[in-house]
C-alpha cells in the first residue's frame, strides 16, 4: 500500500496556470510560485469584489483521537465529489504548521487519494507566508526591546510586556526564557517567552483582515505591553506597523494549488484551533465564494473548538453565512471515546461504540444550536463492520440527521458521491438559519459561560484571581464587547484531555485572559493548554529524510 507522500509524488499535476485558466483567470491574475503553486493577484481580488457568493459548506469533526478522524481528507474528497457532480467547486483550507509536521501530527494535506498537491511544498515552506508572519511578529518584538534599551520614553513596565516572540516549530525550551543577558548594550534583562507562529496575534490578524489597509489598521492595535500606570502600549506607538505591513504584503494574498483530481484549492493562513481561532483566512474564503458556486472549507480540530470559532468569530466578523455543515467521525474514534485502547480498535465492539458515540451526539446538538443544516459522514476504515455502521446510522436517524459513508481516502472524489448527494439535497431543501451562540453585548464572563455550558456541556466556570482581574481590566479598557476565543485542549469537550466521550458535571478552569486587540477578540485560556507545543519522545522528524534519489521520504 502506498503512503500518502508516495501517492502525492506519483500524481500528475496540472500547471498552476492551467488550474487558474480552468477557473477563468488570465495569466496575469495568478502569480506563479514555481510550476504548481500560485498567489492570486491584487487585480483579480479587486475585480471580483462585487461578485455574489456561492454556497458555503463547513466541514468539522468530533474531538480528535489517536485513532484518526480525517476531516481534511473528507473536505478535499467532498470538493472533488461535488466537482465530479458537475458543480463549480473550490476548497478553502488552512496552511500546515512546521511544528506539528515535525512533531506528532505529520503532514496536513489530506490523505490517500484525497489530497491537495504539491504535498511536500505545502507541508514545508510553501509560499513563505508563515515565515513572513514570524518575521513581522519578531520585528515588533525587536522594536519593543530596542525601545526599552534606548531610553523607554513610553514608560513601558518590563514586567508587563505581553508580546511574545515566535517560531514555527515545537520547542518547549523557549516557553520561558531570560533575554538581555551579557553587556549593557545587549539589552534590558527581562523574562520573555516564545509561542508557536500559528498562535500569534499577527497570524490571527492576517486571517481576519479584509485587505491590506485593514491588515495595517489591525496591526497598529496590537497591545505589546503596559506602562507603569497600566496604559496599553501598541504597535502603532512603536512606529513599525508600516514595516510589518511590508513584510506581509505578499503573505496576505491567498494561495492557489489543486487536489489530486485538479479541483482548485485555496490554502491560506493557519491559526491553531486549540489556541487561536482555527480557520483559514477571510480573504481566502471570500475569494473562493466569489470564484465558485460551491465552497468546501474546514475548521480546525473538533466542532467544540474550530467550528465554534468559525461560527462565533470568523463568520460574525466577516459577514459570512454558512449554508450547511458536515460532521466527520470514524467508528474507530467513537470506540476510542468508549474507552477502547488504540490496538483494539479494529475489532468489532458495539458495546464500546454505544458508550463512546455520545461524543458525536453532543456535536450534533451543538451544530443544530447554530441553525445549520447538517449531515454526518463516517470516514470509513477497512475494519469497520456493517453492524457498527448500522448502529451509527440509527443513532443519527434518531436525532434527525442522515449518516453517509465516505470512502474518499481510498477512492478520491468517487468515494464522496453519497456525501456530495446529501450535501446538495440539504442546500436545495433546507435553508440555513445560521446565528452565533451568543451576543457580543454580553459581559466577557457571560460569553465564556455560554461557550462552556452550551458547547462544552460544563456545569460551571471558575477563574484564577489573575484571570478575574484581567476580565475587569479589559472591560474597563473598552474590550468587553469583543467575541471570546477559547483556548483549551482539543481532545475533550472539557478542559481535561483525559475526559473522553461526553463528560458531565465538570468545571472549566480559566487561568489566563488577554486581549488580541488587533484581531478583535479576547482570549481565555482554559486548563493547561500550551501556546508553544513540545516535541514527543519520538518526533516525526526522526523518520523524515531524503533518499538516494533525492526524494523526500517519511513526511507522511
Amino acid at each position: 500500500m502506498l503512503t500518502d507522500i508516495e501517492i502525492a509524488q506519483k500524481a500528475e499535476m496540472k500547471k498552476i496556470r492551467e488550474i487558474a485558466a480552468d477557473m477563468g483567470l488570465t495569466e496575469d491574475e495568478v502569480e506563479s510560485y514555481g510550476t504548481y503553486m500560485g498567489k492570486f493577484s491584487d487585480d483579480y481580488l479587486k475585480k471580483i469584489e462585487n461578485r455574489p457568493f456561492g454556497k458555503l459548506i463547513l466541514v468539522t469533526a468530533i474531538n480528535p483521537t489517536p485513532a484518526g478522524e480525517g476531516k481534511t481528507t473528507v473536505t478535499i474528497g467532498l470538493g472533488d465529489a461535488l466537482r465530479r457532480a458537475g458543480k463549480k467547486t473550490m476548497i478553502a483550507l488552512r496552511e500546515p504548521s512546521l511544528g506539528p509536521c515535525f512533531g506528532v501530527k505529520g503532514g496536513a494535506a489530506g490523505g490517500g487519494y484525497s489530497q491537495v498537491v504539491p504535498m511536500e511544498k505545502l507541508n514545508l515552506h510553501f509560499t513563505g507566508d508563515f515565515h513572513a508572519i514570524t518575521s513581522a511578529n519578531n520585528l515588533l518584538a525587536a522594536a519593543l526591546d530596542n525601545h526599552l534599551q534606548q531610553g523607554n520614553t513610553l514608560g513601558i513596565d518590563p514586567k508587563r510586556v505581553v508580546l511574545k516572540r515566535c517560531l514555527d516549530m515545537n520547542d518547549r525550551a523557549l516557553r520561558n526564557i531570560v533575554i538581555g543577558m551579557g553587556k549593557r548594550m545587549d539589552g534590558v534583562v527581562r523574562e520573555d517567552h516564545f509561542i508557536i507562529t500559528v498562535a500569534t496575534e499577527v497570524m490571527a490578524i492576517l486571517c481576519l483582515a479584509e485587505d491590506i489597509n485593514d491588515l495595517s489598521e489591525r496591526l497598529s492595535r496590537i497591545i505589546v505591553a503596559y506602562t507603569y500606570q497600566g496604559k496599553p502600549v501598541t504597535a502603532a506607538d512603536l512606529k513599525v506597523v508600516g514595516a510589518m505591513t511590508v513584510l506581509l504584503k505578499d503573505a496576505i494574498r491567498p494561495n492557489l494549488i489543486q487536489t489530486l483530481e485538479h479541483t482548485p484549492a485555496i490554502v491560506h493562513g493557519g491559526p491553531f484551533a486549540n489556541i487561536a481561532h482555527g480557520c483559514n483566512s477571510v480573504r481566502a474564503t471570500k475569494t473562493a465564494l466569489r470564484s465558485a458556486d460551491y465552497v468546501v472549507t474546514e475548521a480546525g480540530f473538533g466542532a467544540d473548538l474550530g467550528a465554534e470559532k468559525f461560527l462565533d468569530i470568523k463568520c460574525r466578523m466577516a459577514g459570512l453565512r454558512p449554508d450547511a455543515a458536515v460532521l466527520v467521525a470514524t467508528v474507530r474514534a467513537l470506540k476510542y471515546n468508549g474507552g477502547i485502547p488504540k490496538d483494539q480498535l479494529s475489532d468489532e465492539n458495539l458495546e464500546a461504540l454505544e458508550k463512546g458515540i455520545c461524543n458525536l451526539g453532543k456535536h450534533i446538538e451543538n451544530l443544530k444550536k447554530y441553525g445549520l443544516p447538517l449531515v454526518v459522514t463516517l470516514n470509513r476504515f477497512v475494519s469497520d463492520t456493517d453492524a457498527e455502521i448500522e448502529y451509527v446510522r440509527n443513532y443519527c436517524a434518531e436525532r434527525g440527521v442522515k449518516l453517509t459513508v465516505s470512502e474518499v481516502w481510498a477512492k478520491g472524489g468517487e468515494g464522496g458521491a453519497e456525501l456530495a448527494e446529501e450535501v446538495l439535497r440539504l442546500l436545495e431543501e433546507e435553508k440555513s438559519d445560521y446565528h452565533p451562540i451568543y451576543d457580543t453585548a454580553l459581559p466577557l464572563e457571560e460569553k465564556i459561560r455560554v461557550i462552556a455550558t452550551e458547547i462544552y456541556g460544563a456545569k460551571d466556570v471558575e477563574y484564577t484571581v489573575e484571570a478575574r482581574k484581567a476580565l475587569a481590566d479589559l472591560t474597563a479598557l473598552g474590550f468587553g464587547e469583543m467575541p471570546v476565543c477559547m483556548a483549551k485542549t482539543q481532545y475533550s469537550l472539557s478542559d481535561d484531555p483525559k475526559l473522553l466521550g461526553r463528560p458531565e458535571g465538570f468545571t472549566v478552569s480559566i487561568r489566563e485572559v488577554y486581549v488580541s486587540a488587533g484581531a478583535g477578540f479576547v482570549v481565555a485560556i482554559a486548563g493547561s493548554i500550551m501556546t508553544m507545543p513540545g516535541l514527543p519522545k519520538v518526533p516525526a522528524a526522526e523518520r523524515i529524510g531524503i533518499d538516494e534519489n533525492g526524494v523526500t521520504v517519511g513526511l507522511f
Side-chain angles (χ1 to χ4, degrees), residues 336-409:
Y336 186 87
N337 269 284
I340 297 301
K342 189 177 178 181
D343 60 0
Q344 297 177 25
L345 294 176
S346 295
D347 302 330
E348 181 177 277
N349 192 324
L350 291 173
E351 183 180 346
L353 183 59
E354 181 180 359
K355 186 177 178 183
I357 202 169
C358 54
N359 186 266
L360 173 64
K362 177 57 175 166
H363 289 299
I364 290 173
E365 290 176 24
N366 287 349
L367 289 169
K368 285 187 172 185
K369 291 178 181 180
Y370 289 96
L372 294 180
L374 173 66
V375 56
V376 173
T377 194
L378 270 183
N379 192 17
R380 185 166 195 172
F381 283 71
V382 175
S383 60
D384 297 349
T385 68
D386 291 341
E388 289 173 329
I389 292 173
E390 195 60 26
Y391 182 88
V392 180
R393 192 184 308 280
N394 292 334
Y395 182 89
C396 291
E398 290 170 0
R399 285 150 185 80
V401 177
K402 182 172 181 179
L403 175 78
T404 64
V405 177
S406 169
E407 297 182 274
V408 296
W409 186 90

Side-chain angles (χ1 to χ4, degrees), residues 101-118:
C101 187
F102 290 95
V104 176
K105 189 176 178 184
Y113 291 90
S114 181
Q115 296 189 57
V116 285
V117 286

Side-chain angles (χ1 to χ4, degrees), residues 45 48 53 56 92-94 203-211 214 218 251-254 266-271 277-290 295 297 309-310 313-320 519 521:
L45 297 172
I48 64 172
F53 285 167
L56 181 58
L93 302 171
R94 295 175 299 158
M203 172 65 82
I205 286 172
L206 181 113
C207 290
L208 291 169
E210 294 281 351
D211 53 36
D214 187 29
R218 287 174 177 269
I252 194 177
R253 291 190 288 131
I266 299 180
V267 185
H268 191 227
H277 71 284
C279 307
N280 66 291
S281 76
V282 166
R283 287 194 106 194
T285 304
K286 288 189 173 181
T287 299
L289 286 168
R290 289 170 175 142
V295 174
T297 191
K309 295 169 184 180
F310 178 87
I313 297 176
K314 177 178 176 177
C315 289
R316 189 201 307 263
M317 287 189 183
L320 299 171
F521 52 67

Side-chain angles (χ1 to χ4, degrees), residues 536-547:
K537 187 172 184 178
V538 182
E542 292 187 13
R543 66 171 183 263
I544 297 171
I546 296 178
D547 69 14

